[in-house]
Amino acid sequence: MLGAVMVASGGTEPAAAYPGAPWFEPNRTYDQNFPDPAIIEVGGTYYAYATTTGGASLPVMTSTDLVTWTARGDALGTGPSWSPVGPSGWNLWAPAVVELPGGGFMAAFASPTGSGNRRCIATAHASSPLGPFVVSGASPFVCEPDPNGALDPFLVVDDGVPWLIWKNEGVPVGHPTLAPRRTGFWARALADDGRAWRPGSTTHQLLETTESRRPWPGPVLENPALVECEGRWLRVYWANDWVSGRYAGGVALGSSRAGPGPAP
């Protein structure tokens, strides 16, 4: 759990702040809602990003010890043009950020399309980890055909090549127009600047859910992450219903960052 936060200065309380997710008020500690955090390290400083909260579309904090955190405000400059804008900005979920090999920083996050609960993945770029991150393009970078789209992006660089990982939400049995489809994780290599798919690259499936009658992992996989360990790639994830006692983390092994792994 992230520690208390000191806020940046300036501004007035946004409409999107609410009890449990208060505004990052100037020069005050903040120790409440910072959901779905992602952390990177740059030059001895840690940068943490979260799902939209406290009136910030892409909240960012910094720390040098992973204990005391200082809020730096909203790292988003320009959000996705295809996504609805709320009272105080875009409603972004589960961001990921990575430093690109050629310089600069790339962010990825899920944003609503305006069609029911459907979300798709946008990517954005900045010269600083503090932003402002700017989304380019008039359409999502990744958008699955599933009714609820794509979520939970993760970014990683391997041997100088950036990769985007994401989750498809799945299609339930009995859908009126679509064939059933399990939830799964997918990976594809990006161009050096992260603004397009790498020429010649293809999409690889990393994992998919097992039969839903099994008590774990059940019908849901989410929050993928890849960690290299002693020459192998650990696919770290969470599974099952997050409001139940069956919700837990899992690990699957793979010989490469994008090769197929065993069933979780």
Side-chain angles (χ1 to χ4, degrees):
M1 181 177 180
L2 293 177
V5 187
M6 289 296 296
V7 298
S9 61
T12 57
E13 183 171 0
Y18 58 90
W23 173 45
F24 295 100
E25 188 176 354
N27 302 316
R28 294 184 180 270
T29 59
Y30 186 91
D31 59 1
Q32 299 190 51
N33 200 33
F34 201 78
D36 306 318
I39 300 175
I40 64 171
E41 185 270 330
V42 181
T45 297
Y46 298 94
Y47 297 80
Y49 308 85
T51 286
T52 297
T53 189
S57 294
L58 183 59
V60 58
M61 308 188 297
T62 61
S63 174
T64 56
D65 59 9
L66 296 175
V67 176
T68 302
W69 292 87
T70 302
R72 299 298 187 183
D74 196 336
L76 186 70
T78 303
S81 61
W82 47 267
S83 184
V85 182
S88 60
W90 283 266
N91 181 16
L92 311 179
W93 281 10
V97 178
V98 72
E99 185 173 10
L100 294 169
F105 297 83
M106 176 180 177
F109 35 76
S111 194
T113 64
S115 175
N117 294 322
R118 184 173 174 79
R119 287 180 176 265
C120 296
I121 293 172
T123 57
H125 294 80
S127 59
S128 164
L130 294 175
F133 284 90
V134 175
V135 176
S136 60
S139 59
F141 198 85
V142 173
C143 202
E144 292 285 347
D146 304 0
N148 288 342
L151 294 172
D152 296 346
F154 181 79
L155 293 165
V156 64
V157 174
D158 177 38
D159 289 336
V161 176
W163 288 76
L164 175 63
I165 318 299
W166 70 93
K167 163 198 170 179
N168 74 282
E169 275 283 78
V171 180
V173 174
H175 190 277
T177 59
L178 299 174
R181 185 188 186 196
R182 296 179 181 180
T183 298
F185 298 151
W186 305 86
R188 188 170 176 180
L190 296 163
D192 289 346
D193 63 3
R195 297 179 182 274
W197 298 120
R198 199 167 194 85
S201 68
T202 57
T203 300
H204 303 264
Q205 186 178 55
L206 300 181
L207 291 173
E208 68 174 6
T209 50
T210 57
E211 295 293 337
S212 60
R213 64 176 178 269
R214 290 179 56 180
W216 200 89
V220 176
L221 294 177
E222 60 185 15
N223 300 327
L226 296 186
V227 180
E228 187 177 15
C229 180
E230 297 180 351
R232 302 192 70 181
W233 284 90
L234 307 181
R235 291 93 185 271
V236 183
Y237 60 95
W238 290 83
N240 218 292
D241 185 355
W242 69 274
V243 297
S244 76
R246 296 184 299 275
Y247 191 68
V251 177
L253 299 177
S255 58
S256 70
R257 102 287 298 159

